[in-house]
Amino acid sequence: MVDGAAGGSPGPDGGSLARLAVGAHACETPAMCAELSGHLGALFGIPVTVVNDAELLVPAAGFTTGIGLVAGTGSIAVGRHAETGAYVKAGGWGWVLGDEGSGSALVRERGGADLAALVARLARRGAHHARVVAAGGVITAQPALWSAFTTALAASLPGTRAVLLDAPPVEGAVRLATG
């Protein structure tokens, strides 16, 4: 977020940055995100929020709660526990150990059911799951994968709404930074 107030770091429009939100690839634990947030906050002198990049999907779609699902080169599902707000994730282990429904997994099998299983894991762990926002080059470019995912999701979590993100994920960082 950029405002014209004095202080903070220079913003792109000549004003100053008041807050910064970052979606960081491979920021896999709250401790990792807090460490990066601390370093960036010290560097810029402003409040900084750092989350796993998949956490940008839900706010980028205009929602405050839900599960972010990436199916691209790799795959991961992330969310927040419905009661405690704790970070929960499934997948994200790389192609050797999983990456269900990712590009490399599609070489092995068609992965829609596997992606729905990642979401179901988070639901069993207590994550908000009324909606799942999906993004990533593989799921957005493969209608058959999207169809297989939504069919499997409806079977495993009836009532959960699947949304294919149609906005740049960075919009989630803007929404996180502006509150």
Side-chain angles (χ1 to χ4, degrees), residues 83-99:
E83 294 178 17
T84 67
Y87 172 79
V88 290
K89 79 168 193 130
W93 295 106
W95 68 270
V96 173
L97 299 176
D99 273 352

Side-chain angles (χ1 to χ4, degrees), residues 1-20 44-47 177-178:
M1 179 172 117
V2 178
D3 71 22
S9 294
D13 65 357
S16 63
L17 293 176
R19 301 184 66 161
L20 179 65
F44 291 106
I46 57 175
T178 58

Side-chain angles (χ1 to χ4, degrees), residues 43-154:
L43 179 66
F44 291 106
I46 57 175
V48 177
T49 300
V50 176
V51 297
N52 179 287
D53 59 344
E55 279 196 89
L56 297 180
L57 303 181
V58 172
F63 303 115
T64 56
T65 61
I67 293 172
L69 173 70
V70 173
T73 305
S75 67
I76 189 169
V78 301
R80 294 282 169 172
H81 192 277
E83 294 178 17
T84 67
Y87 172 79
V88 290
K89 79 168 193 130
W93 295 106
W95 68 270
V96 173
L97 299 176
D99 273 352
E100 299 89 336
S102 69
S104 48
L106 292 179
V107 172
R108 297 187 306 257
E109 72 274 331
R110 271 296 170 190
D114 291 329
L115 290 171
L118 289 179
V119 172
R121 268 188 243 156
L122 293 187
R124 286 192 303 272
R125 292 187 207 160
H128 289 278
H129 63 277
R131 73 189 56 83
V132 177
V133 179
V138 173
I139 199 160
T140 59
Q142 299 294 326
L145 178 60
W146 174 249
S147 178
F149 166 68
T150 58
T151 299
L153 183 67

